[in-house]
Amino acid sequence: MIETRPYAPGDGAAFETLYHGYLDHYRLGPPNGAETARLITLLDDGRHMSCLIAHDGGRPVGFATWALTFPAGRGTALFMKELFVDPQARGQGVGRHLMAGLVEIAKAEGCVRFDWQTDGDNAGAQAFYKAVGAPQVEKLSYRVPADTLADFRARLTRPSGRRP
């Protein structure tokens, strides 16, 4: 039976297991102990991002990270940053349970909407969201990787009227 609950201090080991599965699934390289520890510290401290973890019995099988954002029209929105389900648990309703849990959080927080994105080439995620009846909104996303932040900042601080 799938159960979801908000991340609480002490859930670090469950999150770490799933996070390592996430890195492996997306071929992002091996886990870095310092990075993982920082994420767990942020979650333990309740800073910046919150997490919902799904369990099947005692086994962690998925997570969804989220934050409240504003303004969202005339209110706040719950923004889901990531939804990950262990590949061995897919097709068992874990993603649906996580999304339903986020809907309950959004309602409890008085959010005016629930937003998320997926990469354009993530056909599996898109098929899942279509299957659950999520309306698609066309938006463009922008991303500045860490190794180009300094260059990007320099472009931002150039006097207007000067072109790169």
Side-chain angles (χ1 to χ4, degrees):
M1 173 177 217
I2 305 300
E3 173 195 18
T4 60
R5 62 179 183 259
Y7 179 96
D11 287 338
F15 177 78
E16 183 173 5
T17 297
L18 292 165
Y19 180 63
H20 291 183
Y22 161 86
L23 293 172
D24 184 56
H25 178 76
Y26 288 105
R27 296 180 180 98
L28 297 172
N32 173 307
E35 282 176 4
T36 303
R38 175 161 163 56
L39 294 177
I40 291 170
T41 297
L42 290 170
L43 287 168
D44 284 348
D45 291 347
R47 292 181 55 209
H48 309 295
M49 186 75 63
S50 296
C51 183
L52 194 62
I53 298 182
H55 298 267
D56 186 359
R59 184 172 77 97
V61 293
F63 72 84
T65 55
W66 62 275
L68 295 180
T69 62
F70 64 90
R74 297 183 63 95
T76 59
L78 185 143
F79 181 80
M80 178 177 66
K81 168 56 182 99
E82 196 68 48
L83 174 70
F84 174 75
V85 175
D86 184 305
Q88 294 178 345
R90 292 191 180 159
Q92 298 175 23
V94 176
R96 288 174 181 260
H97 278 275
L98 287 164
M99 301 251 338
L102 293 178
V103 166
E104 290 305 312
I105 293 168
K107 287 170 45 180
E109 292 290 343
C111 294
V112 298
R113 65 183 191 230
F114 174 22
D115 294 331
W116 68 92
Q117 299 172 326
T118 185
D119 290 334
D121 62 352
N122 192 338
Q126 292 167 32
F128 169 69
Y129 297 133
K130 184 176 182 179
V132 299
Q136 182 177 341
V137 176
E138 294 294 326
K139 284 194 169 195
L140 295 176
S141 294
Y142 298 88
R143 181 174 294 157
V144 180
D147 62 345
T148 63
L149 283 172
D151 182 55
F152 184 67
R153 184 180 187 290
R155 289 173 184 241
L156 294 170
T157 58
R158 285 190 185 116
S160 60
R162 287 185 56 196
R163 300 205 139 236

